[in-house]
Amino acid sequence: MHILLPPSEKKATGGDGPPLDLASLSLPGLTPVRERVLAALVKVCRRKDAADVLGLSPGQADEALARNRALHEAPTLPAARLYTGVLYDNLDLPALDAEAAAEQIIVFSGLWGALRLTDRVPPYRLAMAVSLPPAGRLGALWRPVMRQVMDEALGDGDLIVDMRSGPYASVWKAPRPAVAVRVFRERLVRGVAKRTVVSHMAKATRGRIAHDLLKAGASPRTPDALLKAVADLGHTAELNGTNLDIVLHD
């Protein structure tokens, strides 16, 4: 089983390791595009309109642009410690077996394409939805190389549990068997059950699902086996086509 995660907007504030070494990162087939995106990002962050290009609010801009300008020299830290925020708080990596988590989790990124948890990178700010001159839209830039690299990196027949958000899911469509995790809230309205998509709680729920599966050492190889594993861990779930729907109740 492999679990695909989005990055988080919120990241650790600093690293304690050596400067970035692109050649040391996993999935080396992504290196040429990583180099291209990195160079474009550093250059853009020296422009007066950098905050607008990256979609940063005034409160975010100064710190984010400073981080991006220093990407070549800044201390690094493992991706396992870099990403914070709601999903990663609930994933609670320190409570999991580090080797198993590193083997099974892949984090997608606008800057790095995809990372293993052991990859060391500096804090940065770049969303996949950005159009980064002169490279263009990141999704379109990553898509061709991601198809080749990810297809080779993941074993044939391994179940893929996809917890990525839309922009990150768009750069690589996981081959079957693959299941996308969706989260709904169910309420009774005049005696009728109504479901709505949730956003903030979806991140927390996906983090908890990933944590519980890894903590239990689950190794489902089919969507039906995944459904059983998730239900056995105490979650309300349904399999709808290629989606695993988690249902939250008030």
Side-chain angles (χ1 to χ4, degrees):
M1 176 184 67
H2 296 278
I3 298 175
L4 310 184
L5 298 179
S8 59
E9 182 176 300
K10 187 177 179 183
K11 299 178 180 68
T13 56
D16 53 10
L20 176 66
D21 176 11
L22 288 177
S24 73
L25 300 183
S26 62
L27 306 170
L30 300 177
T31 300
V33 181
R34 287 169 174 159
E35 292 173 340
R36 184 178 173 187
V37 175
L38 177 61
L41 178 60
V42 172
K43 186 175 182 179
V44 163
C45 287
R46 297 190 179 109
R47 292 170 30 166
K48 291 183 179 180
D49 63 345
D52 292 334
V53 172
L54 300 185
L56 302 173
S57 69
Q60 300 168 329
D62 288 348
E63 181 181 7
L65 296 178
R67 285 186 178 188
N68 287 348
R69 287 192 293 265
L71 283 169
H72 288 289
E73 302 84 24
T76 58
L77 70 166
R81 287 168 39 208
L82 172 66
Y83 297 109
T84 59
V86 174
L87 188 154
Y88 288 88
D89 287 346
N90 284 271
L91 177 59
D92 193 13
L93 285 169
L96 299 175
D97 179 271
E99 185 175 344
E103 182 179 340
Q104 293 181 269
I105 290 175
I106 297 177
V107 182
F108 279 66
S109 162
L111 177 53
W112 315 112
L115 296 171
R116 299 281 190 183
L117 294 179
T118 51
D119 287 328
R120 300 189 69 100
V121 293
Y124 68 96
R125 185 65 177 270
L126 181 63
M128 185 65 80
V130 166
S131 181
L132 190 64
R137 292 213 165 267
L138 293 177
L141 187 65
W142 281 115
R143 203 166 288 123
V145 66
M146 196 71 72
R147 187 180 304 118
Q148 177 182 351
V149 170
M150 294 303 298
D151 287 351
E152 293 175 355
L154 302 184
D156 290 339
D158 288 349
L159 179 66
I160 296 171
V161 183
D162 194 346
M163 300 189 176
R164 297 172 296 170
S165 50
Y168 297 93
S170 72
V171 301
W172 181 67
K173 180 176 175 59
R176 293 188 180 186
V179 177
V181 177
R182 306 188 302 184
V183 183
F184 297 88
R185 183 178 297 282
E186 185 171 281
R187 293 185 174 93
L188 283 177
V189 180
R190 298 188 180 92
V192 179
K194 300 287 187 180
R195 289 184 182 177
T196 55
V197 177
V198 296
S199 54
H200 180 79
M201 281 304 297
K203 295 178 182 180
T205 302
R206 290 185 180 112
R208 284 196 294 271
I209 296 289
H211 174 92
D212 291 350
L213 288 169
L214 292 167
K215 188 74 172 180
S219 55
R221 296 188 63 84
T222 67
D224 285 331
L226 174 65
L227 174 63
K228 184 179 185 304
V230 169
D232 288 347
L233 290 166
H235 302 279
T236 301
E238 300 172 357
L239 197 59
N240 292 307
T242 58
N243 298 309
L244 181 72
D245 293 342
I246 308 299
V247 182
L248 309 178
H249 296 93
D250 287 340

